[in-house]
Amino acid sequence: MNYSHIHFIGIHGVGQMSLAILLAQMGKVITGSDVISAPSSPTGKIPERLSIKVSYDDHFPVTDLPIDTDLVVYTIHGGKNNPQVKEAERKGIEVITQAKLLSEVTKLFQNSIAVAGVNGKTTTTAILAQTLENLGTNPSYIVGTNNLGEKLPANFGNFENFVFEADEYAIDPPINLKSKLSLMYPTHAIITNVSHDHPDIYPNYSDIENIFADFISKFVDKPQNLVVCGDDQNLMKIVDRFPDLKNQVITYGFEDSNAFQILERKENQTGSMMALKYNGKSKIELSLPFWGEKNMLNAASVVAMLTSLGYDLGAISQAMKNISIPARRMQIVFENEYFTLIDDYAHHPDAIVNLIKTMKSIFKGRRLVLIFEPHTFSRTLSLRSEFVHALIASDLSIILPIFASRENEADFPTVQSEMDNAILVQKSAHLRKCTNENLMLFLKNNLQKNDVIVTAGAGKIYQHHQNIIELLKSLS
């Protein structure tokens, strides 16, 4: 990679930041730009740790583009219309998308191990990266989060193993609606699941199904390098399209047809324990510092991948004991004698179902209060019935206003009424809508001692945490 100075526009996004960290550790000069509010974001303190110079201005002035830049990497902040992108093109500086840069980075490594799937990518990537680290391999990786415990979410170790998230979203909407997966040609991959998401780009399930089919087709000549969840019917139907893959890919799950089958499992408030059987013979015991069936599946996928890479089952088991789950994944942010506050990134109906199921299993006998911030108008509108059906499983679900992200509410004039209708159809007293401004008053009037409160969403719901914590203290 012959670039010496790389400038990231919107550097505080987790994808941009992780790439910036990796390339800084590889010796590149890294600079960035972002909006004024970015330093208060979850990645806000990272540039200072690495001495990365970042300029902050909502208008992205061209004067903040360093003179000696030889590559500009952009994502959502105005895309091709961002003033710094336009200035770079005017000066003849190469400009590429984040997805294109990631695809180029993967080519530098002997083993590039992608983690794909609609849900579970970040957690699985984090488990795989840290387990490889604990095995003493000094891997390189990027994880789409703001931290891994005390560690940065990216690392350059060596050129042997590179672990990364392979996102299914579009490369550069609305200019290029092809999936980012189309740019990726990893040597190995884990696919966790397939379901309908990103309806702003993929209106129908068949659209996202075809994206994953294209990605899976890249492993026809190396099926032993592909690990898939055998319990996921949508995913296995896609695998079945390829006769040369069907019986050769490595499967994992709870069902006995899987090469790696999860057997006995136990959970408590400190984590999980499970047994994993390999090809009906070898058995491995895993002690995991996290909860939930989905995370057990994520861990099983990592064992399957590492076994395919030649690592010993016993060594893998030991290496998995000391890992950190990414921030905002069933993360306890406050706890006292009377209340527990947990935060999670869940923003898809399937993830909400898993979150509620896990919380009810771990905190048996306690009332579950879920505060959910829907993410994007398009997703909320398209999957409104699925969301509402998932949310009624909580003892009380509070639905906050939709976090717009890259979208404009004016483009979705019926979203509020359609969501209201979906709630009315359920006729459930468990569902309540609330504004951000009135949330604290609503909680003050409705919380009960011994409640487990869970905030969920991919937007900025975490900004309520400090006020919620102060309220919980006052109610204790």
Side-chain angles (χ1 to χ4, degrees), residues 191 228-233 235-236 250-253 255 257-258:
I191 306 179
V228 299
C229 181
D231 293 356
D232 191 276
Q233 294 182 5
L235 175 55
M236 294 312 295
I250 302 170
T251 59
Y252 66 92
E255 298 173 5
S257 57
N258 291 297

Side-chain angles (χ1 to χ4, degrees), residues 194-215:
V194 175
S195 58
H196 189 207
D197 199 8
H198 313 299
D200 55 324
I201 304 296
Y202 315 121
N204 304 303
Y205 169 69
S206 59
D207 298 320
I208 209 157
E209 186 179 42
N210 289 333
I211 285 162
F212 278 96
D214 177 68
F215 184 66

